[in-house]
Amino acid sequence: MTVVYALVARGKTVLAEFTSTSVTGNFPTVTRVLLSKIPPTDSRQSYLYDTYAFHYITSQTLTVLCMSDENTSGQRGEFMFLEKVREKWDEMYGSQGLTAIAFSMNDRFSHVLKTYMDDFNSGRMSSSDQLGQVKGQISAVKDVMVQNIEKVLERGEKIELLVDKTDRLNQQAFKFERQSKRLRSVMWWKKVKMYLAFAFIGAAVVVAISMFACGGVDYKGCRGDG
């Protein structure tokens, strides 16, 4: 399991987020729709969407959410990650997030999210000491049901996600086509340069042979006596 995206939000207002450079897709749209569906009460839940799993915990109206790239991954690990992020958030900001504007903590806390994601994905976060610190907090994870995100979406929201996903696929297809054309152009010019180089070498060889056969650069051996 690999966490590729994480955020901290108050309701639908995202206060900080970080995305791995290895992931693409319409997940920013998905997370915004999902945030609008999360109740303000303390809760935790997992949702599946395509090949990704979204996990979140909400406490005192603040939501910590992450996305992992395997929807079959163990929830226990992801919820440990979320708890650690929430602990660090409380340590750094306390109750400031309850009134902060969108992305006001992003400059500092996005680095924290990146560090925690790296620690989690490399296995450093799963040490026995750290597991012991959050064991009581994540004991209820086994009771969290994993749902398909489509079950909480309204028809219009499903269409919105579908359109957004289609647009992104079209953009990716256009980008691939443009890169293919650029590659073909580069290869064509390489071939032209190679042919020109062969032609130059061939011409040089012909000139050298003719000069050798005719006695030098002035071709005196090939000129008529008159």
Side-chain angles (χ1 to χ4, degrees), residues 2-196:
T2 302
V3 173
V4 294
Y5 174 73
L7 64 77
V8 179
R10 183 188 68 254
K12 295 185 291 184
T13 303
V14 177
L15 304 176
E17 68 178 348
F18 180 79
T19 309
S20 169
T21 55
S22 63
V23 62
T24 59
N26 67 331
F27 64 91
T29 305
V30 177
T31 55
R32 270 48 176 187
V33 173
L34 184 56
L35 286 174
S36 69
K37 299 296 180 180
I38 296 176
T41 56
D42 293 1
S43 60
R44 60 182 68 213
Q45 185 67 59
S46 296
Y47 290 101
L48 304 183
Y49 180 76
D50 282 352
T51 60
Y52 295 106
F54 294 86
H55 312 276
Y56 75 82
I57 57 173
T58 298
S59 177
Q60 297 178 346
T61 73
L62 282 178
T63 297
V64 183
L65 179 147
C66 72
M67 181 179 79
S68 58
D69 63 353
E70 296 181 6
N71 57 30
T72 57
S73 59
Q75 295 170 272
R76 197 174 184 88
E78 281 92 337
F79 280 102
M80 178 188 71
F81 168 83
L82 296 176
E83 293 287 357
K84 296 295 291 182
V85 170
R86 179 57 196 256
E87 288 178 2
K88 189 63 177 179
W89 176 274
D90 289 342
E91 176 186 326
M92 292 177 62
Y93 300 112
S95 61
Q96 294 180 44
L98 300 178
T99 55
I101 62 175
F103 292 101
S104 56
M105 281 82 168
N106 196 62
D107 286 346
R108 289 183 61 195
F109 206 75
S110 61
H111 298 290
V112 174
L113 293 174
K114 179 183 184 303
T115 299
Y116 276 33
M117 284 169 57
D118 291 342
D119 288 347
F120 178 83
N121 294 334
S122 65
R124 292 190 295 270
M125 187 176 284
S126 60
S127 67
S128 57
D129 290 341
Q130 290 171 318
L131 280 172
Q133 293 174 5
V134 296
K135 184 177 180 180
Q137 295 172 321
I138 63 175
S139 60
V141 171
K142 61 182 179 180
D143 297 323
V144 176
M145 295 184 62
V146 179
Q147 298 184 23
N148 192 299
I149 197 171
E150 292 188 356
K151 291 184 178 180
V152 299
L153 299 180
E154 298 176 359
R155 184 174 181 274
E157 292 167 333
K158 293 180 182 179
I159 294 175
E160 178 186 354
L161 292 181
L162 179 60
V163 170
D164 184 75
K165 185 177 180 180
T166 302
D167 288 342
R168 288 181 179 271
L169 289 175
N170 289 336
Q171 291 173 7
Q172 291 174 358
F174 175 75
K175 182 179 179 181
F176 177 77
E177 182 180 0
R178 186 173 57 184
Q179 290 175 339
S180 298
K181 288 181 178 179
R182 187 181 298 117
L183 179 60
R184 287 197 296 269
S185 177
V186 170
M187 296 303 295
W188 185 82
W189 277 110
K190 282 186 177 180
K191 187 178 294 186
V192 169
K193 291 177 181 179
M194 182 180 66
Y195 288 155
L196 290 174

Side-chain angles (χ1 to χ4, degrees), residues 206-225:
V206 170
V207 171
I209 292 175
S210 63
M211 290 171 59
F212 177 78
C214 293
V217 294
D218 57 357
Y219 289 86
K220 62 181 179 178
C222 295
R223 287 186 292 186
D225 295 336

